[in-house]
Amino acid sequence: MLYYKFSDYLKKRFGCRVARISVDAGFSCPNRDGTISSDGCIFCDNRAFNIAVRNAGRGPLASQIEDGIAAGKMRYGAKKFMLYFQAFTNTYGPPAVLKARYDIVRNYDDIVALSIGTRPDCVNDEILDLIGSYSDRYEVWVEYGLQSIHDRTLSFINRGHTYADFNNAVRLTRKRKNIKIAAHVIIGLPGETKADIFETARAVGLMNLDGIKINPLHIIKGTRLAASYKKNDLLTLDEYVDIVVGFLEQLSPGTLIERLSADCPWELLVAPRWILDKQGVIRAIEAAMIGGETRQGKKWTKQI
Ligand code: SF4
């Protein structure tokens, strides 16, 4: 096994193809509404998050879910589904409001898993207890946007939280045994060297998280990064592949790899264009791993 694919895990766990339904449940983000900042992360444009979200906009949540189920059945032959609260910050609100929105999952018998995407500074015990309560019927995940362990980078990209916030969120979440934890990281952030990125890989590896989503930095139209980036700052496909392979080597073999490239609609993408061939990027990573006779976790055991 080159790396531990999330799709394989879901298939084995639930006995059939499980498709993810990504929704916009109408939340906001404290990094956009003025609470932390009103500018947002410099790369952020939630329109690029996902096709369903783009098409549905903030249409009714039920319609987004029903469209997602129909599309998953038709395109992938999926029989079961994971509901992913993706857009913006999905724990940003009073617990009663969160519960009212999460509860919609109980209306759909084919949904077997629930995943909540959020910022690491937007959870507390009460919210995590609420999320954990869905483990009565669902596999439950929380996905934290980390992006990098380097506070200077987090500050530059205007995340509005620190690495310590992420560590705290992981610590709080781990007090519950019924919530799985995934982190999102971005490779190629401004000012980061390969050594910096590998420091993030080592730190995440040592945390032995349940899952990770690895994204290449890409520039989306209308973002602040689009106005300031320099073409030479972006990774080439070969550079990205080389770094991802090294990143995977430093992760625990038990961490599920949920994503290795980005999904961005061509009409919103400024650069790099190579991310438009998502399957090609994944094939290139796998080929490099085979050629290099390496695998996820190859360097992980040496660190503990
Ligand atoms: S935390 Fe997420 S939703 Fe908020 S500005 Fe950053 S990327 Fe966008």
Side-chain angles (χ1 to χ4, degrees):
M1 184 181 74
L2 294 176
Y3 58 93
Y4 194 10
K5 285 184 193 170
F6 192 49
S7 53
D8 291 349
Y9 160 79
L10 288 174
K11 197 167 182 183
K12 196 167 172 200
R13 164 97 165 75
F14 295 104
C16 61
R17 176 87 192 241
V18 179
R20 197 171 350 218
I21 305 169
S22 300
V23 293
D24 180 342
F27 291 105
S28 179
C29 170
N31 203 25
R32 302 188 68 111
D33 72 1
T35 303
I36 296 172
S37 90
S38 46
D39 298 326
C41 305
I42 63 172
F43 56 80
C44 172
D45 179 340
N46 276 252
R47 286 176 307 161
F49 273 179
N50 139 313
I51 293 170
V53 167
R54 278 200 320 283
N55 291 345
R58 290 200 170 201
L61 193 48
S63 311
Q64 296 179 50
I65 295 171
E66 283 150 28
D67 289 352
I69 289 175
K73 284 183 175 172
M74 195 175 71
R75 273 190 221 136
Y76 309 117
K79 293 194 169 59
K80 301 288 178 193
F81 298 87
M82 168 184 253
L83 181 59
Y84 176 31
F85 287 83
Q86 180 182 34
F88 299 93
T89 301
N90 294 279
T91 57
Y92 187 44
V97 171
L98 304 183
K99 182 174 185 323
R101 297 196 195 170
Y102 302 160
D103 268 353
I104 198 166
V105 69
R106 299 197 184 275
N107 297 344
Y108 300 93
D109 290 341
D110 290 340
I111 297 179
V112 291
L114 179 67
S115 188
I116 312 287
T118 191
R119 296 168 52 88
D121 57 353
C122 276
V123 290
N124 56 35
D125 282 318
E126 193 179 1
I127 289 172
L128 289 168
D129 282 343
L130 169 67
I131 292 171
S133 71
Y134 291 86
S135 68
D136 62 341
R137 217 172 118 188
Y138 306 95
E139 177 164 303
V140 175
W141 287 76
V142 174
E143 302 186 25
Y144 291 116
L146 167 64
Q147 320 312 354
S148 166
I149 65 160
H150 300 289
D151 283 343
R152 66 177 187 282
T153 305
L154 297 179
S155 172
F156 184 82
I157 64 177
N158 200 42
R159 282 294 293 175
H161 68 74
T162 61
Y163 178 41
D165 290 324
F166 176 79
N167 281 321
N168 187 47
V170 170
R171 184 184 57 77
L172 279 183
T173 312
R174 277 201 165 138
K175 286 201 289 184
R176 290 132 187 102
K177 301 295 171 213
N178 52 1
I179 303 176
K180 293 183 182 295
I181 304 171
H184 295 191
V185 296
I186 297 177
I187 289 181
L189 285 166
E192 291 213 336
T193 62
K194 189 170 169 178
D196 293 330
I197 299 167
F198 285 177
E199 279 179 34
T200 296
R202 269 192 293 281
V204 172
L206 288 171
M207 281 185 210
N208 199 4
L209 300 177
D210 300 293
I212 189 164
K213 287 184 177 172
I214 300 172
N215 277 289
L217 180 70
H218 55 284
I219 314 296
I220 300 166
K221 283 180 188 164
T223 60
R224 284 192 293 145
L225 197 53
S228 63
Y229 89 103
K230 294 190 182 55
K231 203 173 166 194
N232 288 344
D233 293 343
L234 295 177
L235 296 175
T236 64
L237 174 59
D238 287 347
E239 289 167 338
Y240 179 71
V241 167
D242 175 57
I243 293 174
V244 169
V245 172
F247 200 105
L248 291 171
E249 286 178 330
Q250 307 197 54
L251 297 180
S252 157
T255 296
L256 287 157
I257 308 304
E258 301 191 36
R259 173 180 285 273
L260 283 175
S261 191
D263 260 327
C264 181
W266 66 267
E267 68 272 21
L268 294 181
L269 180 69
V270 176
R273 301 304 285 181
W274 55 259
I275 73 154
L276 292 172
D277 181 11
K278 184 178 172 186
Q279 293 310 315
V281 175
I282 293 170
R283 280 195 302 274
I285 292 166
E286 293 177 351
M289 293 181 87
I290 292 167
E293 296 183 354
T294 193
R295 58 179 164 72
Q296 177 183 343
K298 188 174 182 184
K299 296 184 178 167
W300 178 74
T301 50
K302 292 177 187 162
Q303 297 164 23
I304 55 176

